[in-house]
Structure formats: C-alpha cells, structure tokens
Amino acid sequence: MSNAMHTTAPDTVRSGAGVVAEGRFKRLWAANAPGYLFLLPWLIGFFGLTLGPALISLYLSFTDFDMIRSPEWVGMANYVRITTADAKFAAAMKVTLTYVVLSVPFKLTFALLVAMALNKGVRGLPVYRAIFYLPSLLGGSVAIAVLWRQLFAGDGLVNAALAQIGIQGPSWISHPSYSIYTLVALSVWQFGSPMIIFLAGLRQIPTDMYEAASLDGASKFRQFYKITLPLLTPVIFFNAVVQTIDAFKAFTPAFIISGGTGGPINSTLFYTLYLYQEAFGNFRMGYASALAWILVLIIAVFTAFSFLSSRYWVHYDD
C-alpha cells in the first residue's frame, strides 16, 4: 500500500500542475486574444513578406541561382567575387557614396532653412507646410522622374531658362560629369519630410532662451550656433540617419533617368540599380542576393557608427 502511494503521488502532482498551467494559459489567452488578433495581419506580413524572404535571400547569397535551375551551393564565392573581381561593384559604390555625401547634407540644410523661415510666425503656415511637404510624397514616383528627365534634357526647360541669360547649358542627363548632380537636385527637392520634423523640433525650443540671449547682446548667428543647433541635435541626428538610409536605397530616379542602364558611363549606376541589373537583367539571383546583404551590412555599420558617435554631439535633456 505504501508503494502504491509513492507511485501515484508524483502522477497526481504532475496532473495538478498541468491543470494549473492549462488554466493559467486559458486566462492569459482570454485576456490577450483580441490584441493578438489585431496583430495577426502585421505578423503575417512580417514573417511572410519581410523575415521569410530575407532569410531566403541570405541562403541564396551562398548559391548560384538563375531562377530556372535549382540553387547550387557555392559558399562564399559570390562575396569573394564582389570584393575582389567586380569592377562594376566598385563603380556602383562610388556613385552611391557620392550621391549620399552630396544629397543628404544639402537636403538637411535646405530643410532646416525653410523650417526656420516657417517658424517665424508665417501667416497661413499649414498651407505652406502642405505645399513644401508635397515633393516628399511625389518625388519618388516614376512620373516625377520622367518629368525631371525632361527638365534636364538638352532641349529641356532648364537649358531654355539658361539660354534667356546667354548661357548654353549641356545635356545634363547625358553628360557623365553632370548627370549625378541632376539626381542630387531631385533629392534636395524632396526636402519636405525632414523640414516638417525640423519645424516640430524648433517649436519645442523655449522662446525665453532667445529673449535672454538678445538681452545679453547675442547676435542672430550666435543664437543659432549656441541655442538652436545644440537643442536641435536630436532632431538633426534622427533626420541624418533616416535620410542617409533612404539615400543608400534610392533606385527609381536613377532607373528612369538612365533608362535602366546607369549611364552615361556608369555615372548614375546606383548600388540598387546594379543589384537590379544582376537579378533581373543577368538572372544572377544568387549574386544579387549577396549584393543585397552587403548593402544591409553597409547600412548597419553606418547606423551603428552614427549611434556610437552621437554621444559626443547629440544633446538630450539629461
């Protein structure tokens, strides 16, 4: 009888613990089920359209895959070729870095200047804010890229305007020395998004700080350098990171303006455009996947460096 008690007691304890755990799970599910149901579309999109394809592309980056035959494992061969034997990769990186280095500072500077002008109490501010934000909504579209190509063509509106003052302009988009600058100009034109964020940051700076500085005899430039810039550094940091990542991913303007070639002489061969050519032009999907993951690594390194360096120049309330 004693043996029977010893053999059945653990089973009873385990079954009791199972009942308690099951009851706890049911209570948690009843409390959280609506939230999980609302999250379900996002979860499906994240795992089915973001994480899943990303993991598949990571696998394909180690294969030779032409979208017809089955992927063939080649290990690090794609990455070795990219970094040691692909001259076009180096050209695409040079064009992309040039675009990032030029477009991001010019866009942020122009956005900040416009935001400061609008922060002076302009009458009809919501209307101006909407007008200036509109290019950010339209700038990445195919229609705007086509319009930009017409503006900077040899017989386009830009050269027609220059001719009125006696200047013979070149064919901007077909000259390798100027074509990249047309894309930079298009990027700067899309200043609306960082401008709105800058304007919100400027509205958070207490006006009494400017009043005190004025009483102390500080000039407008000194007020900007000693008050506006330091207090605006968190917003500058956010805009710089977001706009730089967007610049690395730019694709549509270069594709439309160059006709998908990256010409003339690879002067508009953005990294994403080269990736597209390898994937859907040359059907080297494994190689293109390796290019994509190198871009992910470049953006990750830049973002990590930005956050590490921010402690030396970004000033928060604490």
Side-chain angles (χ1 to χ4, degrees):
M1 182 173 181
S2 175
N3 292 335
M5 291 178 62
H6 283 294
T7 56
T8 57
D11 295 336
T12 303
V13 172
R14 282 195 294 269
S15 63
V19 170
V20 172
E22 183 179 356
R24 184 179 302 168
F25 174 78
K26 288 182 178 179
R27 288 195 300 272
L28 289 174
W29 174 251
N32 299 318
Y36 287 119
L37 289 176
F38 279 112
L39 282 173
L40 188 59
W42 182 87
L43 292 172
I44 293 174
F46 176 72
F47 288 104
L49 301 177
T50 303
L51 183 61
L55 294 177
I56 293 173
S57 74
L58 180 61
Y59 163 73
L60 291 177
S61 71
F62 298 100
T63 67
D64 180 13
F65 180 46
D66 59 4
M67 296 190 292
I68 298 176
R69 298 169 297 162
S70 298
E72 179 183 350
W73 184 265
V74 295
M76 296 293 295
N78 288 330
Y79 293 96
V80 171
R81 180 189 166 197
I82 290 171
T83 55
T84 61
D86 190 350
K88 210 169 183 181
F89 165 77
M93 281 301 306
K94 179 181 178 181
V95 170
T96 303
L97 289 175
T98 301
Y99 176 77
V100 171
V101 169
L102 291 177
S103 65
V104 174
F106 278 115
K107 178 191 285 190
L108 294 185
T109 301
F110 192 63
L112 179 57
L113 292 175
V114 175
M116 292 179 64
L118 294 180
N119 194 44
K120 298 297 183 181
V122 178
R123 183 173 297 179
L125 176 61
V127 176
Y128 287 107
R129 193 166 51 198
I131 292 174
F132 288 139
Y133 184 68
L134 191 60
S136 292
L137 298 177
L138 302 177
S141 66
V142 174
I144 294 298
V146 172
L147 175 62
W148 213 256
R149 185 175 63 186
Q150 298 301 320
L151 287 174
F152 286 94
D155 56 351
L157 186 60
V158 172
N159 280 345
L162 292 175
Q164 297 298 318
I165 55 176
I167 298 177
Q168 182 64 38
S171 180
W172 302 94
I173 61 173
S174 60
H175 197 293
S177 298
Y178 305 116
S179 55
I180 185 65
Y181 300 111
T182 64
L183 298 177
V184 171
L186 177 56
S187 175
V188 175
W189 180 69
Q190 303 170 49
F191 67 93
S193 179
M195 181 270 295
I196 293 293
I197 299 173
F198 276 137
L199 184 58
L202 290 170
R203 290 298 180 91
Q204 299 302 314
I205 300 177
T207 56
D208 55 358
M209 299 186 69
Y210 294 107
E211 294 172 357
S214 297
L215 292 175
D216 289 339
S219 63
K220 292 295 183 181
F221 176 78
R222 189 168 182 81
Q223 291 178 33
F224 173 77
Y225 183 72
K226 292 294 186 179
I227 299 175
T228 305
L229 275 185
L231 295 180
L232 209 60
T233 49
V235 180
I236 296 173
F237 171 67
F238 174 81
N239 271 336
V241 171
V242 171
Q243 295 302 321
T244 303
I245 293 174
D246 285 345
F248 272 113
K249 298 187 301 180
F251 170 77
T252 303
F255 180 83
I256 297 300
I257 288 178
S258 70
T261 65
I265 319 177
N266 293 335
S267 60
T268 58
L269 185 66
F270 283 7
Y271 192 99
T272 50
L273 179 55
Y274 177 48
L275 192 156
Y276 172 86
Q277 290 176 351
E278 287 294 311
F280 301 104
N282 300 325
F283 297 104
R284 290 196 283 257
M285 189 60 69
Y287 194 72
S289 297
L291 287 170
W293 278 97
I294 288 178
L295 179 60
V296 170
L297 180 62
I298 292 171
I299 293 176
V301 169
F302 161 77
T303 305
F305 174 77
S306 299
F307 275 91
L308 289 174
S309 64
S310 66
R311 69 182 67 181
Y312 300 108
W313 64 276
V314 178
H315 308 286
Y316 295 98
D317 291 339
D318 55 353

